[in-house]
Amino acid sequence: MNILKIFGRKPKSSNIAQQRLKLVITQDRVDIGNRDIKQMHRELAEVLARYFNFTISAAQMSLRQEGNSYVLIADFPYDNAR
Amino acid sequence: MGKVIVVTSGKGGVGKTTSTANLGTALALIGKTVVVIDADVGLRNLDVVMGLENRIVYTSMDVIDNRCELTRALVKDRRVEGLTLLAASQKNNKDDIQPEQMKAICEELRSNNDFVLVDSPAGIESGFRNAAAGADEALVVTTPDVSAIRDADRITGLLQHEGVEPINLVLNRLSPEMVRKGNMVSKDDVVALLNLNLIGVVPEDRGVISSTNRGIPLVHDNSSQAAQAYMRIAKRLTGQRIPIPEIREKGFFSNILEWFSGNR
């Protein structure tokens, strides 16, 4: 038996279910899939690269529910080590 | 003028038919006149769950095709006054009925009944659309698992699009023990995810299986927590304000009692 299991360190499956549901429900509601988000991410990166110097690999995008509304959070860290 | 309420879920097997049978019976037990409609054309089951399968002569299809008047197609439940069933045809399929036809049936029935409960088939296609066509309100039934919750959210979106309002949530088959151990999403988690008004929580109950075996809805014997939960939901549907109690975990003692009374 896994030692983590004995000490009950494994994350509760109910929390995992809740997190997974948050994501799929949000995507279902705004009718956008992972593929679209990735595509949008690439396109935004292309545009932003014309104006800023940033590390594309560190960029992140996610869709989140905040109360009754949805927020698209795009995090493109500016790279000033030019 | 009675209310037309569609009982739906998206996913199959979460307890739509059981909920329709029990809520219909519960409403009749508190003195309301109720028609339960099986909208699952081709895969009917509400008749067997209610123990009325041997008395079906006409179905909604016969009414639509003018082979029978609506009032004659209704099967009276002999266990409780004021409860009738409109069965679905087993020989047809879901596309043989149009939403307007279903709506017309609901309109006629609501004029002389307090409640019309429509048991929707699983899925989001024509069967669901027919079931929802005549409804003012909806009960979305879900269980605390990821697929049922996701589908409940999807069906909620479709109901909102159709202008069905209010949409109330029935959380079925909750196991307080599993929630406590962190192996099941809690009532509060489900409500937060779906953002719907919770109208009741029905605990997981093995009694449901034996009640279905017998064709006698659980609420006829008000001893189990699940039956009491359905009775409370029925009362809430009539406008009574009853708080939703926390479900008790079954203790050692009540398990022993159940074992002796042969309820297991």
Side-chain angles (χ1 to χ4, degrees), chain A residues 12-15 17-18 20-22 24-25 28-29 65 67-68, chain B residues 145-146 149-150 153-154 181-185 189 192-195:
Chain A
K12 304 268 194 210
S13 75
S14 58
N15 293 339
Q18 201 195 2
R20 291 174 60 220
L21 276 164
K22 259 189 193 164
V24 292
I25 286 179
D28 288 349
R29 284 186 189 167
Q65 188 186 356
N68 278 339
Chain B
D145 63 282
V146 287
I149 295 169
R150 183 191 196 175
D153 191 70
R154 181 93 172 89
K181 290 182 175 162
N183 293 322
M184 185 181 273
V185 288
D189 292 343
L193 284 160
L194 294 176
N195 202 16

Side-chain angles (χ1 to χ4, degrees), chain B residues 3 5 19-32 34 115 117 139 170 199-200 202 219 226-242:
Chain B
K3 275 184 188 168
I5 305 174
S19 295
T20 309
N22 277 289
L23 291 174
T25 307
L27 284 164
L29 285 169
I30 55 178
K32 302 292 174 187
V34 189
F115 286 92
L117 301 185
L139 286 176
V170 175
I199 197 169
V202 183
V219 288
Q228 288 159 13
Y230 277 124
M231 284 306 298
R232 283 192 297 269
I233 297 172
K235 287 176 184 164
R236 291 184 195 111
L237 285 172
T238 68
Q240 290 188 45
R241 287 174 183 272
I242 302 166

Side-chain angles (χ1 to χ4, degrees), chain B residues 205 218-232:
Chain B
D205 193 326
L218 211 60
V219 288
H220 279 293
D221 168 15
N222 201 22
S223 63
S224 66
Q225 283 199 77
Q228 288 159 13
Y230 277 124
M231 284 306 298
R232 283 192 297 269

Side-chain angles (χ1 to χ4, degrees), chain B:
Chain B
M1 270 304 230
K3 275 184 188 168
V4 182
I5 305 174
V6 60
V7 182
T8 187
S9 67
K11 188 178 178 294
V14 299
K16 281 182 298 296
T17 304
T18 305
S19 295
T20 309
N22 277 289
L23 291 174
T25 307
L27 284 164
L29 285 169
I30 55 178
K32 302 292 174 187
T33 51
V34 189
V35 183
V36 289
I37 302 181
D38 192 341
D40 204 346
V41 177
L43 278 174
R44 75 178 187 206
N45 270 319
L46 190 54
D47 54 339
V48 275
V49 172
M50 297 182 69
L52 298 172
E53 69 276 17
N54 290 329
R55 301 196 12 235
I56 312 288
V57 183
Y58 298 109
T59 67
S60 51
M61 204 68 232
D62 297 312
V63 176
I64 287 165
D65 293 343
N66 291 318
R67 282 188 292 268
C68 164
E69 272 188 34
L70 180 52
T71 43
R72 269 191 76 202
L74 300 177
V75 179
K76 272 201 173 70
D77 188 308
R78 286 177 183 152
R79 291 192 186 91
V80 54
E81 190 71 27
L83 178 62
T84 51
L85 163 77
L86 178 61
S89 162
Q90 193 70 321
K91 289 173 292 192
N92 293 80
N93 66 60
K94 290 165 177 77
D95 299 318
D96 294 339
I97 293 187
Q98 298 305 312
E100 309 80 61
Q101 295 169 322
M102 197 61 185
K103 198 172 174 180
I105 288 177
C106 292
E107 285 305 309
E108 194 177 334
L109 290 173
R110 79 183 330 164
S111 63
N112 40 20
N113 287 279
D114 298 318
F115 286 92
V116 178
L117 301 185
V118 188
D119 184 20
S120 161
I124 56 172
E125 299 83 11
S126 62
F128 157 71
R129 294 192 184 277
N130 285 337
D136 328 289
E137 297 187 16
L139 286 176
V140 169
V141 183
T142 191
T143 54
D145 63 282
V146 287
S147 38
I149 295 169
R150 183 191 196 175
D151 292 1
D153 191 70
R154 181 93 172 89
I155 213 83
T156 300
L158 297 172
L159 288 164
Q160 284 166 340
H161 188 76
E162 303 280 324
V164 178
E165 161 79 35
I167 302 169
N168 288 305
L169 179 69
V170 175
L171 178 55
N172 195 19
R173 304 190 66 174
L174 191 82
S175 158
E177 189 198 1
M178 288 190 72
V179 172
R180 175 173 55 80
K181 290 182 175 162
N183 293 322
M184 185 181 273
V185 288
S186 70
K187 172 188 82 179
D188 296 339
D189 292 343
V190 178
V191 171
L193 284 160
L194 294 176
N195 202 16
L196 285 175
N197 176 55
L198 184 69
I199 197 169
V201 180
V202 183
E204 168 78 13
D205 193 326
R206 289 161 174 245
V208 171
I209 308 237
S210 40
S211 109
T212 313
N213 289 344
R214 295 191 171 92
I216 305 172
L218 211 60
V219 288
H220 279 293
D221 168 15
N222 201 22
S223 63
S224 66
Q225 283 199 77
Q228 288 159 13
Y230 277 124
M231 284 306 298
R232 283 192 297 269
I233 297 172
K235 287 176 184 164
R236 291 184 195 111
L237 285 172
T238 68
Q240 290 188 45
R241 287 174 183 272
I242 302 166
I244 296 175
E246 288 301 322
I247 294 167
R248 297 183 313 273
E249 264 182 58
K250 279 197 177 163
F252 175 72
F253 194 65
S254 70
N255 275 331
I256 298 237
L257 270 180
E258 265 191 14
W259 192 80
F260 277 111
S261 66
N263 268 342
R264 285 260 116 154

